[in-house]
Amino acid sequence: MQQLIETTASLLATAKSVVVFTGAGVSKESGIPTFRDAQEGLWANYDPQTLATPEGFAANPPLVWQWYEWRRQKVRDVKPNAGHIAIVELSTKVPELRVITQNIDGLHARAGSKDVLELHGSIARHYCFDEQHPADDVPDGLDEPPLCWCGSMLRPAVVWFGESLPGKVLGDAFRLSKECDLMFVVGTAGVVYPAASLPYIAKDAGAKVVEINPEPTPITDIADVFLPGYSGHVLPQIVTTFEKITGSHP
Ligand code: APR
């Protein structure tokens, strides 16, 4: 493993443009449940069609609102972990580093990552159902969706099943993936598209791909380095090894 970490640190030492592409696994050590893990207790009785589609929201707005309110509460109660923090540290040591995440929990930004591309939106933001007007300062603890100034109900700014990803964010993610020379793929099963296409785009454009995951995924086949392990453990080791080989202690 140490050899693989040294190889990764050497790739970082020559990289000019780095992308860190993350999924639910990077938040696991903070205690954030994935969509399915979160469906415990009362919520286990509902299927994703009911809780996470526009049709589900239209059929029962208070139910869907309360589900996301409950998940927002869970996110508020946790902190970024050593993996999120190591990514911020790496960003201070290479010329350019951008985070592209599938997570809606906002933990990369809370750790200090700048300009995070949130492919699947954010549980912390809202917009209105009918007109997509953005809404600020939505109070916590409401039992049903408040109304926008236009009269439409507010909804969480997350991408539901069957919805398109935000066009500008996806376009920026494609461009960064094409332009980077090193992509880290961290804690994603690599099966939900179009997000899962990003490592293939990077690889086809000539970037090196480093994957961190305790389990192999479909992306492992194209990874130049596969680091089997937990991101909160492996990423800080990469930072330390990088500092050693480049002499770049803060
Ligand atoms: N460190 C790194 N990877 C981990 C860790 C960890 N501590 N713990 C688990 N993993 C890995 C798992 O092995 C798995 O491959 O993280 C991956 C999580 O997979 P998913 O739960 O399927 O999450 P993700 O790939 O982000 O899902 C993509 O699907 O549910 C929808 O829209 C939702 O954004 C989500 C998308």
Side-chain angles (χ1 to χ4, degrees):
M1 184 71 169
Q2 186 52 33
Q3 184 56 51
L4 292 174
I5 289 189
E6 276 169 27
T7 306
T8 303
S10 321
L11 290 173
L12 261 171
T14 52
K16 294 204 167 39
S17 172
V18 179
V19 164
V20 182
F21 170 53
T22 68
V26 80
S27 292
K28 198 92 179 179
E29 289 151 272
S30 291
I32 295 276
T34 60
F35 185 92
R36 276 178 201 287
D37 289 346
Q39 279 193 275
E40 56 187 45
L42 167 72
W43 299 111
N45 300 323
Y46 298 100
D47 65 17
Q49 289 302 315
T50 308
L51 295 176
T53 61
E55 296 75 22
F57 182 74
N60 193 343
L63 178 80
V64 174
W65 183 265
Q66 285 167 30
W67 158 244
Y68 281 95
E69 189 56 37
W70 186 74
R71 294 182 71 196
R72 271 171 83 192
Q73 181 63 48
K74 292 219 162 227
V75 167
R76 268 197 303 271
D77 290 348
V78 305
K79 290 211 269 301
N81 65 55
H84 297 106
I85 293 164
I87 293 167
V88 180
E89 286 173 2
L90 282 180
S91 72
T92 66
K93 297 174 190 300
V94 294
E96 196 196 343
L97 182 149
R98 286 289 293 276
V99 177
I100 304 175
T101 189
Q102 299 165 87
N103 300 341
I104 59 171
D105 56 35
L107 285 178
H108 285 296
R110 273 172 62 192
S113 286
K114 303 269 181 275
D115 302 323
V116 177
L117 289 175
E118 293 175 313
L119 291 174
H120 294 164
S122 165
I123 204 165
R125 287 184 276 113
H126 296 85
Y127 60 81
C128 78
F129 190 67
D130 292 335
E131 304 284 346
Q132 291 82 49
H133 297 132
D136 292 327
D137 301 328
V138 175
D140 296 330
L142 300 176
D143 283 340
E144 56 182 66
L147 299 184
C148 178
W149 56 265
C150 72
S152 164
M153 284 178 288
L154 295 186
R155 55 161 285 179
V158 300
V159 177
W160 280 331
F161 294 108
E163 292 186 310
S164 303
L165 273 60
K168 161 97 173 75
V169 176
L170 186 61
D172 285 352
F174 283 147
R175 181 180 52 76
L176 286 168
S177 301
K178 240 183 235 150
E179 290 172 3
C180 71
D181 41 31
L182 176 58
M183 177 181 276
F184 285 87
V185 181
V186 187
T188 177
V191 292
V192 173
Y193 282 79
S197 63
L198 298 178
Y200 300 94
I201 290 173
K203 180 80 179 181
D204 284 349
K208 298 284 185 199
V209 174
V210 174
E211 185 181 33
I212 303 173
N213 197 311
E215 310 284 342
T217 71
I219 294 165
T220 312
D221 287 343
I222 59 152
D224 296 279
V225 182
F226 174 62
L227 296 164
Y230 299 118
S231 48
H233 186 64
V234 174
L235 281 164
Q237 286 185 54
I238 294 173
V239 175
T240 313
T241 306
F242 178 82
E243 284 172 349
K244 254 189 225 144
I245 65 169
T246 60
S248 70
H249 285 279

